[in-house]
Amino acid sequence: MQHKIFYGLIFVLAVLMAGCASPSSSVLIGDARLEIPAEQVKVYLEKPENYEEIALIEATSDSSWSFGEQAKMDAVLKRLKQEAAKVGANGILLQKTGEKEGNSVYVGTGAGKYSGNLGLGVSVGKAFGLTDKTGEGIAIYVKPENEKDVEPAGNE
């Protein structure tokens, strides 16, 4: 019974370590809107005419299984669009792109039993040398041209 508990703890530890870093995140700085499909989110390099800021967003290509510089950047843009869509933004004002050194953590376990003896090994390692693409931006809601900033009635 103790062996099952121990192996269960090792498994939980491995899962927790694998899930420590999220490849994307957002911080609300305005009012969130209803979620939209990520395909409807546009990327802007310059400020559009009429918009409101909703959230600061960032993403990496970490854990995307993308190979090649363009594929990694495509993964970053896809994740940025997904984060923006979650808060109802229909645009991203791209602020910065870059690279960071990957630092994935690997956990391995092994056990064996022979003639009543139990052997157990646990190893933890870190891999360096791989780079991930990164991106930061502002999730924005770009108002349609027919949607004007109208003063509420009675403020004359």
PDB file of all heavy atoms in Angstrom, residues 7 21 38 41 63 75 79 87 90 108 110 140:
ATOM      1  N   TYR A   7       4.283   6.129  -5.241  1.00  0.00           N
ATOM      2  CA  TYR A   7       4.254   6.335  -6.691  1.00  0.00           C
ATOM      3  C   TYR A   7       3.227   7.395  -7.075  1.00  0.00           C
ATOM      4  O   TYR A   7       3.435   8.160  -8.000  1.00  0.00           O
ATOM      5  CB  TYR A   7       3.970   5.027  -7.431  1.00  0.00           C
ATOM      6  CG  TYR A   7       5.068   4.001  -7.256  1.00  0.00           C
ATOM      7  CD1 TYR A   7       4.775   2.695  -6.919  1.00  0.00           C
ATOM      8  CD2 TYR A   7       6.401   4.356  -7.415  1.00  0.00           C
ATOM      9  CE1 TYR A   7       5.780   1.767  -6.753  1.00  0.00           C
ATOM     10  CE2 TYR A   7       7.399   3.436  -7.252  1.00  0.00           C
ATOM     11  CZ  TYR A   7       7.093   2.134  -6.919  1.00  0.00           C
ATOM     12  OH  TYR A   7       8.088   1.224  -6.764  1.00  0.00           O
ATOM     13  N   ALA A  21       4.749  26.584 -15.426  1.00  0.00           N
ATOM     14  CA  ALA A  21       4.812  27.778 -16.264  1.00  0.00           C
ATOM     15  C   ALA A  21       3.720  27.729 -17.322  1.00  0.00           C
ATOM     16  O   ALA A  21       3.572  26.762 -18.023  1.00  0.00           O
ATOM     17  CB  ALA A  21       6.177  27.873 -16.933  1.00  0.00           C
ATOM     18  N   ALA A  38     -11.126  33.281 -31.322  1.00  0.00           N
ATOM     19  CA  ALA A  38      -9.773  33.820 -31.508  1.00  0.00           C
ATOM     20  C   ALA A  38      -9.511  34.212 -32.961  1.00  0.00           C
ATOM     21  O   ALA A  38      -8.709  35.105 -33.231  1.00  0.00           O
ATOM     22  CB  ALA A  38      -8.735  32.803 -31.044  1.00  0.00           C
ATOM     23  N   VAL A  41      -9.763  37.975 -33.859  1.00  0.00           N
ATOM     24  CA  VAL A  41      -8.835  38.940 -33.278  1.00  0.00           C
ATOM     25  C   VAL A  41      -7.782  39.326 -34.317  1.00  0.00           C
ATOM     26  O   VAL A  41      -7.155  38.467 -34.929  1.00  0.00           O
ATOM     27  CB  VAL A  41      -8.151  38.350 -32.019  1.00  0.00           C
ATOM     28  CG1 VAL A  41      -7.160  39.349 -31.437  1.00  0.00           C
ATOM     29  CG2 VAL A  41      -9.185  37.955 -30.974  1.00  0.00           C
ATOM     30  N   SER A  63       6.478  24.856 -25.036  1.00  0.00           N
ATOM     31  CA  SER A  63       5.572  23.695 -25.071  1.00  0.00           C
ATOM     32  C   SER A  63       4.656  23.675 -26.282  1.00  0.00           C
ATOM     33  O   SER A  63       3.607  23.047 -26.248  1.00  0.00           O
ATOM     34  CB  SER A  63       4.718  23.633 -23.797  1.00  0.00           C
ATOM     35  OG  SER A  63       5.532  23.604 -22.661  1.00  0.00           O
ATOM     36  N   ALA A  75       3.077  30.401 -33.226  1.00  0.00           N
ATOM     37  CA  ALA A  75       2.517  29.862 -31.977  1.00  0.00           C
ATOM     38  C   ALA A  75       2.288  30.980 -30.967  1.00  0.00           C
ATOM     39  O   ALA A  75       1.267  31.013 -30.275  1.00  0.00           O
ATOM     40  CB  ALA A  75       3.443  28.794 -31.399  1.00  0.00           C
ATOM     41  N   ARG A  79      -1.384  32.178 -29.473  1.00  0.00           N
ATOM     42  CA  ARG A  79      -1.660  32.237 -28.034  1.00  0.00           C
ATOM     43  C   ARG A  79      -2.071  33.640 -27.596  1.00  0.00           C
ATOM     44  O   ARG A  79      -2.933  33.795 -26.734  1.00  0.00           O
ATOM     45  CB  ARG A  79      -0.446  31.749 -27.252  1.00  0.00           C
ATOM     46  CG  ARG A  79      -0.258  30.244 -27.390  1.00  0.00           C
ATOM     47  CD  ARG A  79       0.985  29.753 -26.718  1.00  0.00           C
ATOM     48  NE  ARG A  79       1.038  28.293 -26.748  1.00  0.00           N
ATOM     49  CZ  ARG A  79       2.083  27.589 -26.380  1.00  0.00           C
ATOM     50  NH1 ARG A  79       3.165  28.190 -25.915  1.00  0.00           N
ATOM     51  NH2 ARG A  79       2.052  26.271 -26.447  1.00  0.00           N
ATOM     52  N   VAL A  87     -10.965  37.679 -23.159  1.00  0.00           N
ATOM     53  CA  VAL A  87     -11.466  38.883 -22.477  1.00  0.00           C
ATOM     54  C   VAL A  87     -12.313  39.743 -23.409  1.00  0.00           C
ATOM     55  O   VAL A  87     -12.639  40.883 -23.087  1.00  0.00           O
ATOM     56  CB  VAL A  87     -10.313  39.713 -21.862  1.00  0.00           C
ATOM     57  CG1 VAL A  87      -9.627  38.931 -20.750  1.00  0.00           C
ATOM     58  CG2 VAL A  87      -9.318  40.162 -22.918  1.00  0.00           C
ATOM     59  N   ASN A  90     -11.109  42.386 -29.658  1.00  0.00           N
ATOM     60  CA  ASN A  90     -11.099  42.030 -31.076  1.00  0.00           C
ATOM     61  C   ASN A  90      -9.800  42.459 -31.746  1.00  0.00           C
ATOM     62  O   ASN A  90      -9.647  42.371 -32.956  1.00  0.00           O
ATOM     63  CB  ASN A  90     -12.311  42.616 -31.810  1.00  0.00           C
ATOM     64  CG  ASN A  90     -12.339  44.135 -31.784  1.00  0.00           C
ATOM     65  OD1 ASN A  90     -11.446  44.783 -31.270  1.00  0.00           O
ATOM     66  ND2 ASN A  90     -13.400  44.695 -32.349  1.00  0.00           N
ATOM     67  N   GLY A 108      12.101  12.190 -13.762  1.00  0.00           N
ATOM     68  CA  GLY A 108      12.013  10.776 -14.113  1.00  0.00           C
ATOM     69  C   GLY A 108      12.034   9.934 -12.862  1.00  0.00           C
ATOM     70  O   GLY A 108      12.641  10.291 -11.855  1.00  0.00           O
ATOM     71  N   GLY A 110      11.986   5.636 -11.406  1.00  0.00           N
ATOM     72  CA  GLY A 110      12.143   4.229 -11.753  1.00  0.00           C
ATOM     73  C   GLY A 110      12.082   3.399 -10.491  1.00  0.00           C
ATOM     74  O   GLY A 110      12.449   3.845  -9.411  1.00  0.00           O
ATOM     75  N   ILE A 140      -7.140  44.837 -27.022  1.00  0.00           N
ATOM     76  CA  ILE A 140      -7.953  46.041 -27.209  1.00  0.00           C
ATOM     77  C   ILE A 140      -9.279  45.697 -27.880  1.00  0.00           C
ATOM     78  O   ILE A 140      -9.404  44.675 -28.546  1.00  0.00           O
ATOM     79  CB  ILE A 140      -7.210  47.107 -28.048  1.00  0.00           C
ATOM     80  CG1 ILE A 140      -6.831  46.544 -29.427  1.00  0.00           C
ATOM     81  CG2 ILE A 140      -5.986  47.609 -27.314  1.00  0.00           C
ATOM     82  CD1 ILE A 140      -6.195  47.559 -30.365  1.00  0.00           C
TER      83      ILE A 140
END
